[in-house]
Amino acid sequence: MSKIEFASIIVTYRCNARCQMCNTWKFPSKKEEEIGVDIYEKLPFMKTVNVTGGEPFIREDLEDIINVLRKKTNRLVISTNGYLTERILKLFEKRKDIGIRISIEGLPKANDELRGLKGGFDRGIRTLVELYNMGVRDIGFGITISDRNAKDMIVLYHLSKMMGIEFATAAIHNSFYFHKFDNKFEHPEIAIEELNKLIAELLKSKKVKDWFRAYFNYGLINYIRGNPRLLPCEMGFDSFFLDPYGEILPCNVMEESMGNLKEKSFEEIWNSKRADEVRAMVKNCPKNCWMIGSVSQQMQKYIWIPAKWIIKHKFLKKPFC
């Protein structure tokens, strides 16, 4: 079986937020239908695991799930809106060997409006500060860029630098996973202008990782403009999504299951004829998504491509706008 570089584990579709760019909360999974710890035990070793939702901290057995998954990966990160502060801190008091990314969708007004959570910004920042003070090392927050919050992005980046934590970016997109198909930029030039500012800041950094983040954000501009991906998508070849019902999917955009983990072993599913059929669909997928889950391992695999871009724009000072 091929080595698994990345897996996104969607533990629930239940969510306490009411996000404008995502309708998952309108289609929650039923608690009794979500797969349990015994099913997660069937997963193989995965280099990096992202645990997400819905809102993962809604699951009362999340700690048990994390205990299983942590044994199966080099790095585990939980993605959350950060609102359930007490539950989050309780878990991280026991598990400082995992990471967390909290969604902060802008400054207070924009964040709470986009998230549909009154006081969501305050809760998210409070959670970040408490985790930082606890000594959690793999910590950060991220923004999904839209017309509503693009102007807040640079301020949030500088906030992350002040706090000494990670800063992640994404752009609105459409997917069965989000039950959303009308997300779009009415004023893409604004988001592109702000991303250009962020790229310039990242290229000034002395950290090599930030230079590659600059390339990733350059790819977001390319995506917003509707161009083909800068790197090939190989989701389903070395990475997968697992939904709350046990379905193994190539990603959160292509609604094609390779098989259900409740019915078969992971190896049977991964090496099946159906899995090969899904991978063929991935090769012909026209959606050109650009999300960190489907890009980070490709940046490592085809490292000479972003490296050439970095040399050109950081060291040779060629304009990238």
Side-chain angles (χ1 to χ4, degrees):
M1 188 178 75
S2 58
K3 183 179 178 182
I4 304 298
E5 295 289 334
F6 171 77
S8 187
I9 310 297
I10 308 160
V11 295
T12 185
Y13 286 137
R14 291 177 283 155
C15 193
N16 59 334
R18 301 292 182 264
C19 295
Q20 291 184 13
M21 62 283 193
C22 173
N23 286 333
T24 297
W25 57 273
K26 294 182 179 180
F27 303 90
S29 48
K30 294 180 180 178
K31 179 180 176 180
E32 63 274 14
E33 294 179 357
E34 294 168 353
I35 57 175
V37 173
D38 57 324
I39 303 299
Y40 292 110
E41 290 277 11
K42 298 172 72 173
L43 289 168
F45 188 84
M46 304 154 283
K47 185 177 178 181
T48 301
V49 168
N50 175 233
V51 174
T52 185
E55 172 47 53
F57 281 93
I58 283 179
R59 281 202 65 152
E60 296 172 355
D61 60 346
L62 182 63
E63 182 179 342
D64 296 329
I65 295 171
I66 296 301
N67 289 339
V68 169
L69 294 177
R70 186 63 187 91
K71 296 181 294 185
K72 296 176 175 287
T73 184
N74 293 330
R75 179 173 179 248
L76 186 150
V77 178
I78 304 176
S79 295
T80 170
N81 58 42
Y83 194 84
L84 301 172
T85 305
E86 291 75 18
R87 293 189 187 185
I88 296 169
L89 297 180
K90 184 179 178 181
L91 174 62
F92 277 85
E93 283 174 356
K94 300 176 182 178
R95 301 237 57 144
K96 293 186 177 66
D97 60 336
I98 62 176
I100 188 167
R101 294 295 179 273
I102 294 178
S103 297
I104 303 291
E105 303 299 347
L107 296 175
K109 186 177 180 181
N111 178 84
D112 293 3
E113 180 183 308
L114 287 168
R115 282 277 166 195
L117 274 176
K118 186 177 181 180
F121 180 89
D122 292 350
R123 288 285 194 110
I125 293 297
R126 181 180 296 275
T127 302
L128 280 168
V129 171
E130 293 285 356
L131 290 169
Y132 182 84
N133 288 335
M134 284 171 56
V136 179
R137 294 185 177 183
D138 191 352
I139 178 174
F141 62 89
I143 180 174
T144 299
I145 307 160
S146 64
D147 289 321
R148 179 65 183 85
N149 63 10
K151 289 286 189 179
D152 290 349
M153 180 173 56
I154 287 294
V155 176
L156 291 177
Y157 167 70
H158 287 299
L159 176 62
S160 73
K161 283 184 68 178
M162 289 169 58
M163 296 177 69
I165 61 178
E166 301 288 330
F167 181 70
T169 51
I172 53 169
H173 60 281
N174 297 301
S175 163
F176 78 92
Y177 169 54
F178 298 111
H179 296 274
K180 194 74 173 171
F181 302 97
D182 59 353
N183 280 324
K184 65 179 181 177
F185 287 92
E186 297 292 346
H187 304 285
E189 68 282 356
I190 296 175
I192 290 170
E193 180 182 358
E194 297 304 311
L195 280 165
N196 277 324
K197 293 177 185 176
L198 178 61
I199 292 168
E201 292 282 340
L202 290 167
L203 287 176
K204 291 176 187 176
S205 171
K206 295 180 180 179
K207 296 179 181 179
V208 175
K209 189 174 182 180
D210 284 344
W211 307 344
F212 283 90
R213 286 190 179 120
Y215 177 81
F216 174 79
N217 283 284
Y218 176 71
L220 280 181
I221 291 175
N222 185 69
Y223 165 74
I224 292 170
R225 285 176 170 155
N227 296 329
R229 280 174 60 112
L230 300 177
L231 296 171
C233 178
E234 295 178 354
M235 294 297 287
F237 291 82
D238 58 6
S239 48
F240 66 90
F241 271 55
L242 173 63
D243 81 1
Y245 308 114
E247 300 290 345
I248 301 288
L249 309 164
C251 63
N252 69 346
V253 172
M254 184 175 288
E255 193 176 9
E256 297 289 345
S257 176
M258 297 179 174
N260 194 294
L261 206 54
K262 291 187 293 186
E263 301 167 357
K264 299 178 181 179
S265 70
F266 183 86
E267 290 73 19
E268 288 178 297
I269 294 170
W270 197 247
N271 297 313
S272 67
K273 180 180 178 182
R274 173 57 183 168
D276 287 338
E277 292 171 350
V278 172
R279 292 181 187 114
M281 296 179 200
V282 170
K283 284 187 174 181
N284 295 302
C285 179
K287 297 186 178 180
N288 293 314
C289 304
W290 191 261
M291 293 172 276
I292 197 63
S294 65
V295 174
S296 59
Q297 65 266 25
Q298 300 306 96
M299 287 174 64
Q300 295 175 44
K301 184 175 180 180
Y302 302 99
I303 194 168
W304 62 90
I305 297 177
K308 285 171 65 176
W309 183 90
I310 291 166
I311 291 169
K312 180 178 179 181
H313 299 294
K314 177 173 176 63
F315 297 103
L316 301 180
K317 307 296 183 182
K318 300 288 186 181
F320 53 82
C321 296

